[in-house]
Amino acid sequence: MIKKISVEQVEIGMYIVDTDRTWLDLPFFRTRFAVTSAKQVATLREYCRFVCIDTAKGKDISDSPPAGAIPSSADLDTTTWEGCYAAVRLGYADVLRRVAAENTLDFATVDKLAAELEQGISPDSGRVWGGLMRATQPDPAAKAVNAAALALVWGLATGLSAEALRHLGSGALLLDIGLQRLPDAIRAAERPLDVGETALFRQHPQCGRDMLLAASDVPAEVLDIVLNHHERADGSGYPRGLGGGDLSRAGQIAAMAAECEDLCWEHAGRPAMSGLQALASIYNAGARLFDGDLTADFVRALGVWPPGCLVELAGGELAVVGDIPASEFGALSLRPVTNSAKELLDFAADPNRTVRVSASEIVRILSLADPIARFVRYYLRQCGGH
Protein backbone atom coordinates (compact mmCIF):
# COMPACT_ATOMS: atom_id res chain seq x y z
CA MET A 1 0.00 0.00 0.00
CA ILE A 2 1.29 3.45 -0.92
CA LYS A 3 1.03 6.14 1.79
CA LYS A 4 1.86 9.85 1.67
CA ILE A 5 3.45 10.97 4.95
CA SER A 6 5.21 13.99 6.38
CA VAL A 7 8.98 13.78 6.05
CA GLU A 8 9.20 14.13 9.86
CA GLN A 9 7.55 10.69 10.08
CA VAL A 10 10.21 8.98 7.97
CA GLU A 11 12.08 6.24 9.84
CA ILE A 12 14.78 3.73 9.08
CA GLY A 13 13.18 0.65 7.51
CA MET A 14 10.65 2.51 5.35
CA TYR A 15 10.67 2.14 1.55
CA ILE A 16 10.48 5.43 -0.38
CA VAL A 17 8.67 5.38 -3.73
CA ASP A 18 8.14 9.11 -4.35
CA THR A 19 8.80 12.58 -2.89
CA ASP A 20 7.62 16.14 -3.45
CA ARG A 21 10.91 16.88 -5.25
CA THR A 22 12.16 15.83 -8.69
CA TRP A 23 14.91 13.26 -8.96
CA LEU A 24 17.37 15.91 -10.17
CA ASP A 25 16.76 17.95 -7.02
CA LEU A 26 17.70 15.10 -4.66
CA PRO A 27 21.16 13.71 -3.85
CA PHE A 28 20.03 10.07 -4.27
CA PHE A 29 20.94 7.77 -7.15
CA ARG A 30 17.49 6.17 -7.22
CA THR A 31 13.95 7.46 -6.92
CA ARG A 32 12.86 4.33 -5.01
CA PHE A 33 14.95 3.01 -2.16
CA ALA A 34 14.88 1.59 1.35
CA VAL A 35 15.83 3.96 4.16
CA THR A 36 18.76 2.31 5.90
CA SER A 37 20.56 5.08 7.80
CA ALA A 38 20.03 8.18 9.90
CA LYS A 39 21.96 10.13 7.26
CA GLN A 40 19.30 9.28 4.66
CA VAL A 41 16.57 10.36 7.08
CA ALA A 42 18.36 13.68 7.72
CA THR A 43 18.83 14.27 3.99
CA LEU A 44 15.17 13.60 3.22
CA ARG A 45 14.16 16.02 5.97
CA GLU A 46 16.53 18.62 4.56
CA TYR A 47 15.17 18.46 1.01
CA CYS A 48 11.55 17.33 1.24
CA ARG A 49 8.29 18.10 2.95
CA PHE A 50 6.35 14.94 2.03
CA VAL A 51 7.29 11.46 0.80
CA CYS A 52 5.36 8.38 -0.30
CA ILE A 53 6.19 5.01 1.20
CA ASP A 54 5.32 1.46 0.09
CA THR A 55 4.23 -0.45 3.19
CA ALA A 56 4.46 -3.76 1.30
CA LYS A 57 8.21 -3.30 0.90
CA GLY A 58 9.10 -1.54 4.14
CA LYS A 59 8.00 -0.37 7.54
CA ASP A 60 4.54 1.18 7.90
CA ILE A 61 4.04 4.31 9.91
CA SER A 62 1.96 2.34 12.42
CA ASP A 63 5.01 0.17 13.11
CA SER A 64 7.18 3.21 13.77
CA PRO A 65 8.05 4.91 17.05
CA PRO A 66 5.74 7.74 18.15
CA ALA A 67 5.45 10.65 15.71
CA GLY A 68 8.41 12.98 15.99
CA ALA A 69 10.89 10.37 17.22
CA ILE A 70 14.21 10.62 15.44
CA PRO A 71 16.84 7.99 14.70
CA SER A 72 20.22 7.96 16.33
CA SER A 73 22.90 10.09 14.68
CA ALA A 74 25.56 7.52 15.55
CA ASP A 75 26.12 6.53 11.92
CA LEU A 76 26.64 10.12 10.74
CA ASP A 77 30.22 11.10 9.90
CA THR A 78 30.51 14.16 12.10
CA THR A 79 34.08 14.79 10.93
CA THR A 80 32.53 16.29 7.77
CA TRP A 81 30.53 19.51 7.68
CA GLU A 82 27.53 17.71 6.19
CA GLY A 83 27.53 15.04 8.89
CA CYS A 84 28.01 17.58 11.68
CA TYR A 85 25.16 19.72 10.36
CA ALA A 86 22.80 16.74 10.13
CA ALA A 87 23.71 15.48 13.61
CA VAL A 88 23.20 18.89 15.25
CA ARG A 89 19.91 19.33 13.42
CA LEU A 90 18.67 15.96 14.65
CA GLY A 91 19.83 16.77 18.17
CA TYR A 92 18.11 20.13 18.25
CA ALA A 93 14.90 18.65 16.85
CA ASP A 94 14.92 16.35 19.88
CA VAL A 95 15.43 19.36 22.18
CA LEU A 96 12.36 21.04 20.66
CA ARG A 97 10.27 17.88 21.04
CA ARG A 98 11.18 17.69 24.72
CA VAL A 99 10.24 21.34 25.18
CA ALA A 100 6.85 20.71 23.57
CA ALA A 101 6.21 17.52 25.55
CA GLU A 102 7.65 18.45 28.96
CA ASN A 103 7.75 22.27 28.87
CA THR A 104 11.36 22.18 30.06
CA LEU A 105 14.58 23.16 28.32
CA ASP A 106 17.90 21.36 28.78
CA PHE A 107 20.35 24.21 28.17
CA ALA A 108 23.39 22.00 28.72
CA THR A 109 22.38 19.94 25.67
CA VAL A 110 21.88 23.09 23.58
CA ASP A 111 25.29 24.38 24.64
CA LYS A 112 26.88 21.06 23.66
CA LEU A 113 25.19 21.12 20.24
CA ALA A 114 26.44 24.67 19.66
CA ALA A 115 29.99 23.57 20.50
CA GLU A 116 29.71 20.66 18.07
CA LEU A 117 28.43 22.97 15.35
CA GLU A 118 31.29 25.37 15.90
CA GLN A 119 33.78 22.52 15.57
CA GLY A 120 32.15 21.48 12.30
CA ILE A 121 32.47 24.90 10.66
CA SER A 122 35.26 24.31 8.17
CA PRO A 123 37.72 27.00 7.04
CA ASP A 124 35.92 26.80 3.69
CA SER A 125 32.96 28.92 4.77
CA GLY A 126 31.48 28.92 1.29
CA ARG A 127 30.85 25.22 1.69
CA VAL A 128 28.91 25.94 4.86
CA TRP A 129 26.86 28.56 3.03
CA GLY A 130 26.00 26.20 0.17
CA GLY A 131 24.98 23.48 2.59
CA LEU A 132 22.50 25.73 4.38
CA MET A 133 20.57 27.00 1.42
CA ARG A 134 19.55 23.70 -0.21
CA ALA A 135 16.51 22.77 1.88
CA THR A 136 13.17 23.82 0.43
CA GLN A 137 10.77 23.69 3.37
CA PRO A 138 11.36 25.25 6.78
CA ASP A 139 11.20 23.38 10.04
CA PRO A 140 12.15 24.83 13.43
CA ALA A 141 15.28 22.70 13.87
CA ALA A 142 16.64 23.47 10.39
CA LYS A 143 16.02 27.19 10.79
CA ALA A 144 17.73 27.25 14.18
CA VAL A 145 20.82 25.34 13.02
CA ASN A 146 21.06 27.41 9.84
CA ALA A 147 20.97 30.66 11.82
CA ALA A 148 23.49 29.34 14.35
CA ALA A 149 25.91 28.19 11.64
CA LEU A 150 25.74 31.56 9.88
CA ALA A 151 26.21 33.38 13.16
CA LEU A 152 29.26 31.28 14.02
CA VAL A 153 30.84 31.94 10.60
CA TRP A 154 30.16 35.63 11.23
CA GLY A 155 31.59 35.47 14.74
CA LEU A 156 34.75 33.70 13.60
CA ALA A 157 35.24 36.32 10.88
CA THR A 158 34.94 39.19 13.34
CA GLY A 159 37.34 37.71 15.86
CA LEU A 160 35.03 36.91 18.76
CA SER A 161 36.66 35.20 21.73
CA ALA A 162 36.12 31.48 22.37
CA GLU A 163 33.67 32.25 25.19
CA ALA A 164 31.75 34.79 23.10
CA LEU A 165 31.54 32.28 20.22
CA ARG A 166 30.12 29.64 22.53
CA HIS A 167 27.44 32.02 23.79
CA LEU A 168 26.71 33.17 20.23
CA GLY A 169 26.18 29.61 19.00
CA SER A 170 23.88 28.70 21.90
CA GLY A 171 21.93 31.92 21.65
CA ALA A 172 21.47 31.59 17.90
CA LEU A 173 20.12 28.05 18.27
CA LEU A 174 17.59 29.35 20.80
CA LEU A 175 16.51 32.52 18.95
CA ASP A 176 12.97 31.33 18.30
CA ILE A 177 12.51 29.10 21.32
CA GLY A 178 9.85 31.56 22.55
CA LEU A 179 7.61 30.54 19.64
CA GLN A 180 6.94 27.35 21.59
CA ARG A 181 4.82 29.47 23.94
CA LEU A 182 2.60 30.83 21.15
CA PRO A 183 -0.63 29.22 19.88
CA ASP A 184 -0.21 26.85 16.93
CA ALA A 185 -2.56 29.05 14.88
CA ILE A 186 0.01 31.85 15.03
CA ARG A 187 3.20 29.82 15.00
CA ALA A 188 2.23 27.79 11.93
CA ALA A 189 0.11 30.38 10.11
CA GLU A 190 0.47 30.36 6.32
CA ARG A 191 -1.40 33.66 5.99
CA PRO A 192 -0.59 37.22 7.02
CA LEU A 193 -1.24 37.74 10.72
CA ASP A 194 -3.80 40.31 11.82
CA VAL A 195 -2.88 43.21 14.11
CA GLY A 196 -3.58 41.35 17.34
CA GLU A 197 -1.75 38.21 16.21
CA THR A 198 1.23 40.28 15.08
CA ALA A 199 1.44 41.95 18.48
CA LEU A 200 1.41 38.54 20.16
CA PHE A 201 4.00 37.14 17.73
CA ARG A 202 6.31 40.04 18.51
CA GLN A 203 6.42 38.92 22.13
CA HIS A 204 8.24 35.68 21.29
CA PRO A 205 11.72 37.12 22.07
CA GLN A 206 10.52 38.02 25.58
CA CYS A 207 8.83 34.61 25.90
CA GLY A 208 12.11 32.99 24.92
CA ARG A 209 14.04 34.93 27.52
CA ASP A 210 11.48 33.98 30.17
CA MET A 211 11.84 30.29 29.25
CA LEU A 212 15.63 30.53 29.55
CA LEU A 213 15.40 32.26 32.91
CA ALA A 214 13.53 29.18 34.14
CA ALA A 215 16.33 26.90 32.92
CA SER A 216 19.64 26.34 34.70
CA ASP A 217 22.93 28.17 34.16
CA VAL A 218 22.00 30.18 31.06
CA PRO A 219 24.61 32.95 30.57
CA ALA A 220 23.45 36.56 30.46
CA GLU A 221 24.95 36.88 26.96
CA VAL A 222 22.61 34.15 25.68
CA LEU A 223 19.61 35.85 27.29
CA ASP A 224 20.61 39.09 25.56
CA ILE A 225 20.88 37.44 22.13
CA VAL A 226 17.49 35.75 22.41
CA LEU A 227 15.73 38.89 23.67
CA ASN A 228 17.21 41.29 21.11
CA HIS A 229 17.47 39.31 17.86
CA HIS A 230 14.60 41.27 16.26
CA GLU A 231 15.88 44.70 17.33
CA ARG A 232 17.32 46.93 14.59
CA ALA A 233 19.92 49.69 14.57
CA ASP A 234 17.41 52.38 13.59
CA GLY A 235 15.04 51.48 16.43
CA SER A 236 12.40 49.90 14.17
CA GLY A 237 12.67 46.42 15.68
CA TYR A 238 10.88 44.68 18.53
CA PRO A 239 9.99 43.92 21.30
CA ARG A 240 11.49 47.11 22.82
CA GLY A 241 12.50 49.26 19.83
CA LEU A 242 16.16 49.55 20.89
CA GLY A 243 18.71 51.40 18.75
CA GLY A 244 22.14 50.30 17.57
CA GLY A 245 23.93 51.81 20.54
CA ASP A 246 21.97 49.55 22.90
CA LEU A 247 22.71 46.32 21.03
CA SER A 248 25.62 44.00 21.74
CA ARG A 249 27.99 42.90 19.00
CA ALA A 250 26.98 39.25 19.38
CA GLY A 251 23.31 40.21 19.42
CA GLN A 252 23.66 42.10 16.14
CA ILE A 253 25.49 39.19 14.54
CA ALA A 254 22.74 36.78 15.60
CA ALA A 255 20.08 39.20 14.33
CA MET A 256 21.67 39.45 10.89
CA ALA A 257 22.19 35.69 10.66
CA ALA A 258 18.56 35.03 11.59
CA GLU A 259 17.30 37.60 9.08
CA CYS A 260 19.48 36.22 6.29
CA GLU A 261 18.28 32.67 6.98
CA ASP A 262 14.65 33.72 7.27
CA LEU A 263 14.64 35.51 3.91
CA CYS A 264 15.41 32.20 2.22
CA TRP A 265 12.04 30.72 3.18
CA GLU A 266 8.65 31.48 1.70
CA HIS A 267 6.28 33.32 4.03
CA ALA A 268 2.66 34.27 3.63
CA GLY A 269 2.60 36.91 0.92
CA ARG A 270 6.38 36.92 0.45
CA PRO A 271 8.33 34.61 -1.87
CA ALA A 272 11.57 33.00 -0.77
CA MET A 273 14.82 34.68 -1.80
CA SER A 274 17.86 32.88 -3.11
CA GLY A 275 20.87 32.81 -0.82
CA LEU A 276 22.53 35.55 -2.84
CA GLN A 277 19.44 37.74 -2.78
CA ALA A 278 19.15 37.34 0.99
CA LEU A 279 22.80 38.22 1.50
CA ALA A 280 22.40 41.25 -0.79
CA SER A 281 19.40 42.38 1.25
CA ILE A 282 21.42 42.17 4.48
CA TYR A 283 24.39 44.02 2.95
CA ASN A 284 22.21 46.79 1.52
CA ALA A 285 20.41 47.22 4.85
CA GLY A 286 23.74 47.46 6.66
CA ALA A 287 23.77 51.25 6.67
CA ARG A 288 20.33 51.46 8.31
CA LEU A 289 19.07 48.29 10.00
CA PHE A 290 22.33 46.55 10.87
CA ASP A 291 25.98 47.28 11.56
CA GLY A 292 27.56 48.01 8.17
CA ASP A 293 31.03 46.84 9.22
CA LEU A 294 29.67 43.51 10.49
CA THR A 295 27.78 42.88 7.25
CA ALA A 296 30.94 43.52 5.24
CA ASP A 297 32.87 41.14 7.51
CA PHE A 298 30.33 38.41 6.90
CA VAL A 299 30.36 38.74 3.12
CA ARG A 300 34.16 38.64 3.25
CA ALA A 301 34.13 35.51 5.43
CA LEU A 302 31.79 33.64 3.10
CA GLY A 303 33.55 34.70 -0.08
CA VAL A 304 30.10 34.96 -1.68
CA TRP A 305 29.68 38.33 -3.34
CA PRO A 306 26.03 39.44 -3.49
CA PRO A 307 24.67 41.77 -6.17
CA GLY A 308 25.09 45.45 -5.33
CA CYS A 309 28.04 45.19 -2.95
CA LEU A 310 30.94 47.56 -3.50
CA VAL A 311 34.39 45.99 -3.74
CA GLU A 312 38.00 47.07 -4.23
CA LEU A 313 40.12 45.16 -6.76
CA ALA A 314 43.79 44.29 -6.54
CA GLY A 315 44.63 47.16 -8.91
CA GLY A 316 42.91 49.71 -6.64
CA GLU A 317 39.72 50.10 -8.70
CA LEU A 318 36.32 50.21 -7.04
CA ALA A 319 33.47 48.27 -8.64
CA VAL A 320 29.95 47.15 -7.85
CA VAL A 321 28.91 43.50 -8.21
CA GLY A 322 26.44 43.00 -11.04
CA ASP A 323 22.86 41.87 -10.64
CA ILE A 324 23.42 38.46 -12.20
CA PRO A 325 26.80 36.95 -11.29
CA ALA A 326 27.83 33.86 -13.20
CA SER A 327 27.69 31.78 -10.02
CA GLU A 328 28.04 32.16 -6.30
CA PHE A 329 31.61 30.90 -6.35
CA GLY A 330 32.83 31.47 -9.92
CA ALA A 331 33.71 34.53 -12.00
CA LEU A 332 31.89 37.73 -11.15
CA SER A 333 30.44 40.40 -13.40
CA LEU A 334 31.40 43.81 -12.02
CA ARG A 335 30.63 47.36 -13.07
CA PRO A 336 33.72 49.56 -12.58
CA VAL A 337 33.09 52.75 -10.61
CA THR A 338 36.60 54.24 -10.39
CA ASN A 339 39.99 53.76 -11.99
CA SER A 340 43.06 52.66 -10.01
CA ALA A 341 43.60 56.27 -8.82
CA LYS A 342 40.08 56.23 -7.29
CA GLU A 343 38.86 58.73 -9.89
CA LEU A 344 35.17 58.31 -10.73
CA LEU A 345 34.42 56.98 -14.20
CA ASP A 346 32.11 58.75 -16.62
CA PHE A 347 29.07 56.49 -16.94
CA ALA A 348 27.65 58.59 -19.77
CA ALA A 349 30.64 57.71 -21.94
CA ASP A 350 30.24 53.96 -21.42
CA PRO A 351 26.91 53.24 -19.65
CA ASN A 352 27.03 49.45 -20.03
CA ARG A 353 30.64 48.68 -19.27
CA THR A 354 31.26 45.54 -17.22
CA VAL A 355 34.31 43.43 -16.45
CA ARG A 356 34.69 39.79 -15.53
CA VAL A 357 36.97 38.99 -12.60
CA SER A 358 37.65 36.07 -10.29
CA ALA A 359 36.99 36.36 -6.58
CA SER A 360 40.75 36.22 -5.97
CA GLU A 361 41.08 39.68 -7.55
CA ILE A 362 38.89 41.23 -4.83
CA VAL A 363 40.95 42.52 -1.94
CA ARG A 364 38.14 43.90 0.22
CA ILE A 365 34.45 44.67 0.39
CA LEU A 366 33.50 48.16 1.47
CA SER A 367 31.15 48.56 4.40
CA LEU A 368 28.18 50.79 3.70
CA ALA A 369 29.18 52.61 6.87
CA ASP A 370 32.35 53.72 5.04
CA PRO A 371 32.07 57.38 3.85
CA ILE A 372 33.64 56.39 0.53
CA ALA A 373 30.99 53.72 0.02
CA ARG A 374 28.21 56.16 0.88
CA PHE A 375 29.56 58.70 -1.60
CA VAL A 376 29.94 56.14 -4.37
CA ARG A 377 26.42 54.83 -3.82
CA TYR A 378 25.09 58.39 -3.97
CA TYR A 379 27.02 58.99 -7.20
CA LEU A 380 25.65 55.80 -8.74
CA ARG A 381 22.09 56.79 -7.89
CA GLN A 382 22.52 60.27 -9.32
CA CYS A 383 23.84 59.04 -12.64
CA GLY A 384 21.53 56.04 -12.86
CA GLY A 385 24.44 53.65 -12.61
CA HIS A 386 22.77 51.43 -10.00
Side-chain angles (χ1 to χ4, degrees):
M1 180 179 176
I2 306 299
K3 286 186 178 181
K4 181 179 179 180
I5 65 172
S6 165
V7 73
E8 294 299 326
Q9 296 172 298
V10 172
E11 300 289 341
I12 294 173
M14 290 182 172
Y15 191 87
I16 305 297
V17 294
D18 197 11
T19 72
D20 58 352
R21 304 295 304 280
T22 68
W23 176 71
L24 291 175
D25 291 333
L26 294 172
F28 297 111
F29 291 111
R30 299 179 178 86
T31 56
R32 296 173 175 238
F33 58 92
V35 179
T36 59
S37 71
K39 184 175 183 179
Q40 288 176 317
V41 174
T43 301
L44 284 167
R45 290 179 178 176
E46 180 178 357
Y47 282 81
C48 304
R49 187 177 181 182
F50 300 104
V51 301
C52 293
I53 60 173
D54 187 342
T55 59
K57 295 184 177 181
K59 183 186 292 185
D60 191 347
I61 188 173
S62 60
D63 300 325
S64 303
I70 61 174
S72 168
S73 60
D75 61 341
L76 292 172
D77 182 4
T78 56
T79 63
T80 67
W81 161 244
E82 292 79 8
C84 173
Y85 174 86
V88 173
R89 183 176 170 188
L90 288 171
Y92 193 67
D94 191 45
V95 168
L96 292 179
R97 273 186 281 272
R98 291 177 183 274
V99 170
E102 304 169 10
N103 199 32
T104 58
L105 175 70
D106 180 1
F107 178 74
T109 296
V110 174
D111 205 36
K112 180 174 180 291
L113 290 171
E116 292 172 358
L117 189 64
E118 181 189 339
Q119 290 297 314
I121 302 290
S122 81
D124 181 7
S125 298
R127 191 175 176 201
V128 173
W129 170 261
L132 296 179
M133 298 306 169
R134 293 177 300 178
T136 59
Q137 296 293 335
D139 69 74
K143 288 176 67 65
V145 178
N146 284 356
L150 289 173
L152 286 168
V153 170
W154 225 311
L156 287 165
T158 57
L160 291 184
S161 68
E163 182 179 45
L165 276 173
R166 190 178 83 246
H167 296 330
L168 175 62
S170 299
L173 279 175
L174 291 164
L175 290 179
D176 284 333
I177 194 67
L179 292 176
Q180 300 295 317
R181 291 277 179 91
L182 299 186
D184 289 343
I186 294 178
R187 189 171 65 232
E190 296 183 359
R191 55 172 175 76
L193 300 178
D194 64 29
V195 174
E197 291 171 329
T198 298
L200 186 57
F201 177 85
R202 289 189 167 198
Q203 291 305 309
H204 79 265
Q206 182 66 55
C207 292
R209 183 177 183 273
D210 292 344
M211 289 178 67
L212 295 179
L213 284 173
S216 300
D217 302 321
V218 180
E221 293 83 356
V222 174
L223 297 173
D224 171 80
I225 289 170
V226 171
L227 179 61
N228 295 325
H229 72 280
H230 279 295
E231 302 288 2
R232 297 294 180 258
D234 66 352
S236 64
Y238 61 86
R240 295 182 292 167
L242 300 181
D246 297 317
L247 303 176
S248 69
R249 187 177 182 84
Q252 291 183 77
I253 290 172
M256 288 185 284
E259 178 73 4
C260 188
E261 198 281 336
D262 191 60
L263 290 171
C264 293
W265 304 108
E266 180 179 353
H267 290 275
R270 193 202 74 194
M273 291 185 181
S274 70
L276 273 178
Q277 289 172 327
L279 190 56
S281 178
I282 296 297
Y283 174 79
N284 288 321
R288 182 173 61 88
L289 299 181
F290 303 110
D291 183 298
D293 292 330
L294 288 178
T295 60
D297 286 339
F298 185 50
V299 172
R300 185 183 307 111
L302 288 175
V304 182
W305 311 96
C309 72
L310 189 64
V311 297
E312 182 176 359
L313 303 180
E317 304 92 338
L318 298 181
V320 63
V321 177
D323 289 335
I324 310 177
S327 72
E328 294 191 11
F329 307 107
L332 297 170
S333 175
L334 304 182
R335 182 162 194 186
V337 178
T338 75
N339 59 24
S340 59
K342 298 293 192 298
E343 297 169 333
L344 291 169
L345 301 178
D346 183 1
F347 282 104
D350 191 0
N352 299 311
R353 185 189 175 204
T354 59
V355 296
R356 302 281 293 175
V357 303
S358 68
S360 62
E361 296 179 65
I362 296 176
V363 296
R364 71 178 178 122
I365 177 172
L366 275 71
S367 161
L368 291 187
D370 188 319
I372 294 176
R374 291 202 298 269
F375 174 76
V376 169
R377 300 271 288 212
Y378 173 78
Y379 171 71
L380 289 172
R381 287 195 297 270
Q382 293 302 305
C383 63
H386 198 272

